[in-house]
Amino acid sequence: MTLRIVTWNINSVRLRVDQIARFVAEYAPDVLCLQEIKCTEDQFPREAFEQMGLPYLKIRGQKGWHGVAIASRLPILDGEGPALDVCREGHGRCVSGLINGVEVQNFYIPAGGDIPDRKLNPKFDHKMDFYERLTAEMKTRDRQRPLILAGDFNIAPGDNDVFNHKFMLKVVSHTPGEIETLRRLQDAGGFADVVRDQIPDPVKLASWWSYRAKDFRVSNRGLRLDHLWTSPGLTPAVVKGSARILDTVREWERPSDHAPVVMDLDV
């Protein structure tokens, strides 16, 4: 069967539940990984997701901030999952589940504040610590187990994943230290960066654009912060040509500042 997997930083699931319903109707995801749901588990709009045809839910919420969820057409079983202490602050930043034999791990990795210095900026130190803990865990995993790492990783790794590589090298999300940290995580599990593998350089890609610009396409200052990665045991199942960033969704009324990212799997 074909599984359509989507990751989307929704920036408040309750505020944008109608947009999610429209998206599900138009793009028919089987598994929808959401970040920044900004609500507790009991506040999550379960009934609306049931009506969309995504009745199976795994939620790690947090009052007013952060929060992640997986919504699925198929039952979600408990997977091996990331260790809860991967976020030292105990935030709602990771949730996982096993869906049709594929483990999905959904992350909202800390943005890291404004100063790319671990000693001067506790938020940046938290971001790097989160990556280090996750990398150490991925080194222990069986690479042949079907695994997806999905979510808002808050790092744009490549020269063509930012609007201006030279300028962004000094800005949190694209500094050399962050890029190297992301590469170490990728190497730890042998993960494929599915979107970039299917849409190779030098094509410019972005999944996030600031709200500060009245027209995000005119300003064209985007970053590719949202990712879908597959383990070596799952990468052959990715449908050729299926991975893309659905940037037209960013044009909808009162959008999230992130666009959904999609891929299909033959499993």
Side-chain angles (χ1 to χ4, degrees):
M1 67 178 295
T2 300
L3 275 182
R4 174 159 292 176
I5 314 292
V6 173
T7 183
W8 190 7
N9 180 321
I10 196 59
N11 195 9
S12 179
V13 67
R14 292 179 292 176
L15 182 64
R16 295 189 170 83
V17 68
D18 290 341
Q19 285 196 7
I20 298 169
R22 174 184 172 184
F23 176 82
V24 171
E26 292 186 14
Y27 291 96
D30 298 294
V31 179
L32 179 58
C33 298
L34 298 173
Q35 303 87 41
E36 279 202 276
I37 61 173
K38 295 185 176 179
C39 68
T40 56
E41 184 173 346
D42 62 298
Q43 295 171 327
F44 194 90
R46 291 175 176 272
E47 185 175 341
F49 278 79
E50 291 172 3
Q51 293 173 356
M52 294 175 209
L54 298 173
Y56 299 101
L57 300 167
K58 288 288 289 287
I59 303 164
R60 180 92 190 278
Q62 186 173 337
K63 185 177 181 181
W65 296 94
H66 316 313
V68 285
I70 301 172
S72 174
R73 296 188 189 278
L74 302 172
I76 306 176
L77 305 177
D78 290 334
E80 190 174 346
L84 291 178
D85 67 356
V86 76
C87 176
R88 72 183 186 196
E89 306 296 334
H91 296 163
R93 292 186 178 273
C94 52
V95 68
S96 67
L98 192 66
I99 302 168
N100 199 47
V102 176
E103 181 163 3
V104 179
Q105 297 189 9
N106 176 24
F107 296 95
Y108 175 48
I109 296 178
D114 297 325
I115 304 171
D117 187 303
R118 297 185 72 160
K119 293 181 179 178
L120 297 177
N121 180 4
K123 291 183 178 180
F124 191 76
D125 183 61
H126 179 208
K127 181 178 191 174
M128 295 297 100
D129 182 78
F130 191 108
Y131 268 104
E132 288 163 358
R133 293 177 187 227
L134 186 57
T135 299
E137 184 168 328
M138 288 303 131
K139 287 180 179 179
T140 70
R141 299 298 180 101
D142 178 359
R143 292 187 173 199
Q144 294 310 307
R145 290 189 63 179
L147 172 62
I148 296 168
L149 300 193
D152 179 356
F153 293 2
N154 266 312
I155 295 177
D159 295 8
N160 292 302
D161 297 327
V162 294
F163 63 91
N164 184 315
H165 168 62
K166 186 175 180 181
F167 171 78
M168 287 298 300
L169 283 172
K170 300 177 182 179
V171 180
V172 172
S173 72
H174 190 64
T175 62
E178 290 173 281
I179 294 168
E180 178 58 30
T181 295
L182 187 69
R183 296 297 184 209
R184 282 196 291 268
L185 172 60
Q186 187 174 7
D187 291 345
F191 293 105
D193 178 354
V194 174
V195 172
R196 182 49 84 186
D197 287 350
Q198 292 201 353
I199 309 174
D201 292 318
V203 178
K204 288 274 190 181
L205 293 174
S207 62
W208 171 91
W209 299 262
S210 172
Y211 284 131
R212 293 175 184 172
K214 184 175 291 188
D215 187 326
F216 78 98
R217 293 203 187 278
V218 171
S219 65
N220 198 26
R221 293 168 65 89
L223 309 174
R224 188 172 72 98
L225 303 178
D226 304 272
H227 301 275
L228 290 169
W229 288 4
T230 52
S231 65
L234 185 62
T235 298
V238 178
V239 176
K240 187 176 181 180
S242 68
R244 59 200 189 279
I245 299 170
L246 302 172
D247 57 0
T248 55
V249 175
R250 182 64 172 77
E251 300 171 356
W252 294 358
E253 187 176 353
R254 297 184 70 194
S256 169
D257 46 356
H258 293 254
V261 182
V262 61
M263 70 176 177
D264 293 343
L265 301 174
D266 275 337
V267 292

